[in-house]
């Protein structure tokens, strides 16, 4: 504790007047722990937001390149099921799983048996649903962590404030004197934790809402692409059976 008091005095002397450092020095031990936790949460939140934005941008770029390549292919079923063209990303994985399911049930594209063709397309649609679910998990990765920081940061700040005010009033009652000069430092230090909580939560909530919206858009685009793939496979298989 003596080292903590020495550090607090250095901060006050270096600051030269009431500011954030002064208020931090006037915080109780619990308030300083809360502020430290909030600093860690802020670093994590910004890392998640920047990393998630870069991931979504990269996946969208991969999807656009692969969709452009696929639009030039006259026959989707002519692609290699193990490696359906050059590319990567969610769209690529969706097509690969759909083709693997299609050729797993039969080795040939054409199938004159209507029942077998229907059963085959059922396998393809199930594979597409599983693929969409897996890629959705990939899109939504780390969003729970960011949402937890958005929700929890203000409450952590409030906890530090309430605790600090409680200590300030408790110390004043133990001293047997009540004055604004004796109460103000503890209260100002306690209020710092609420400010820190809001500083962490406000940018995080804007980033979370933006990333959540982009994730929802990407998932809808993925579902539409999977539906398009199912239609192409069914039409090409039907055309081959009628040929």
């Amino acid at each position: 504790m003596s080292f903590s008091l020495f550090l607090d005095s250095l901060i006050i002397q270096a600051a030269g007047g009431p500011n954030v450092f002064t208020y931090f020095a006037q915080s109780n031990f619990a308030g300083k722990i809360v502020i430290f936790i909030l600093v860690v949460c802020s670093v994590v939140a910004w890392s998640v937001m920047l990393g998630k934005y870069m991931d979504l941008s990269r996946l969208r770029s991969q999807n656009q390149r692969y969709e452009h390549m696929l639009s030039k292919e006259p026959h989707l079923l002519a692609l290699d099921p193990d490696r359906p063209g050059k590319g990567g990303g969610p769209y690529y994985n969706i097509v690969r799983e759909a083709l693997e399911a299609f050729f797993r049930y039969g080795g040939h594209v054409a199938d004159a048996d209507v029942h077998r063709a229907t059963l085959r397309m059922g396998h393809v649609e199930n594979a597409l649903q599983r693929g969409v679910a897996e890629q959705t998990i990939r899109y939504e990765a780390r969003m729970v962590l960011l949402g937890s920081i958005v929700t929890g940061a203000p409450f952590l700040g409030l906890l530090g404030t309430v605790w600090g005010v409680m200590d300030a009033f408790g110390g004043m009652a133990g001293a047997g004197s009540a004055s604004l000069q004796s109460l103000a430092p503890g209260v100002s230090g306690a209020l710092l934790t609420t400010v820190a909580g809001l500083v962490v939560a406000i940018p995080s909530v804007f980033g979370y809402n933006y990333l959540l919206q982009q994730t929802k858009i990407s998932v809808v685009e993925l579902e539409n692409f999977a539906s398009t793939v199912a239609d192409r496979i069914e039409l090409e298989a039907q055309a081959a059976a009628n040929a």
Side-chain angles (χ1 to χ4, degrees), residues 106-135:
H108 303 285
V109 174
D111 195 339
D113 191 327
V114 177
H115 176 70
R116 285 177 55 86
T118 303
L119 187 60
R120 196 177 200 182
M121 282 307 303
H123 284 288
V124 173
E125 291 175 357
N126 290 336
L128 287 172
Q129 291 178 1
R130 291 192 297 269
V132 169
E134 292 175 357
Q135 298 305 319

Side-chain angles (χ1 to χ4, degrees), residues 19-28 30-32 35 157 160-165 168 183-196:
N19 52 37
V20 174
F21 296 102
T22 305
Y23 301 146
F24 178 78
Q26 292 170 347
S27 300
N28 61 353
K32 293 174 182 176
I35 291 176
T161 296
V162 173
W163 200 324
V165 171
L183 183 63
V187 173
S188 61
L191 291 174
L192 180 63
T193 59
T194 296
V195 175

Side-chain angles (χ1 to χ4, degrees), residues 58-72:
R58 177 177 55 84
L59 293 176
R60 175 162 293 180
S61 178
Q62 289 177 339
N63 290 340
Q64 290 176 348
R65 288 197 300 267
Y66 186 72
E67 189 175 19
H68 180 70
M69 184 276 297
L70 207 63
S71 64
K72 298 180 179 180

Side-chain angles (χ1 to χ4, degrees), residues 16 23 47 81 91 118 122 129 132 144 148 167 169 207 226 230:
Y23 301 146
S47 300
Y91 284 9
T118 303
Q129 291 178 1
V132 169
V144 174
S148 300
D167 279 357
F169 278 102

Side-chain angles (χ1 to χ4, degrees), residues 43-124:
V43 173
V44 172
W46 279 102
S47 300
V48 170
M49 287 189 292
L50 294 176
K52 192 65 180 177
Y53 176 78
M54 295 176 62
D55 287 344
L56 291 176
S57 300
R58 177 177 55 84
L59 293 176
R60 175 162 293 180
S61 178
Q62 289 177 339
N63 290 340
Q64 290 176 348
R65 288 197 300 267
Y66 186 72
E67 189 175 19
H68 180 70
M69 184 276 297
L70 207 63
S71 64
K72 298 180 179 180
E73 291 289 337
H75 299 290
L76 183 62
L77 294 177
L79 296 174
D80 183 5
D82 294 329
R83 186 167 181 79
K86 297 180 180 179
Y91 284 9
Y92 174 86
N93 294 329
I94 287 290
V95 172
R96 183 181 60 188
E97 293 183 11
L99 293 179
E100 288 178 352
F102 182 84
F103 288 104
R104 188 184 305 121
Y105 190 74
H108 303 285
V109 174
D111 195 339
D113 191 327
V114 177
H115 176 70
R116 285 177 55 86
T118 303
L119 187 60
R120 196 177 200 182
M121 282 307 303
H123 284 288
V124 173

Side-chain angles (χ1 to χ4, degrees), residues 1-15 21-22 24-26 32:
M1 296 298 295
S2 59
F3 177 77
S4 177
L5 293 174
F6 174 73
L7 181 61
D8 294 344
S9 63
L10 288 180
I11 293 175
I12 294 175
Q13 293 174 5
F21 296 102
T22 305
F24 178 78
Q26 292 170 347
K32 293 174 182 176

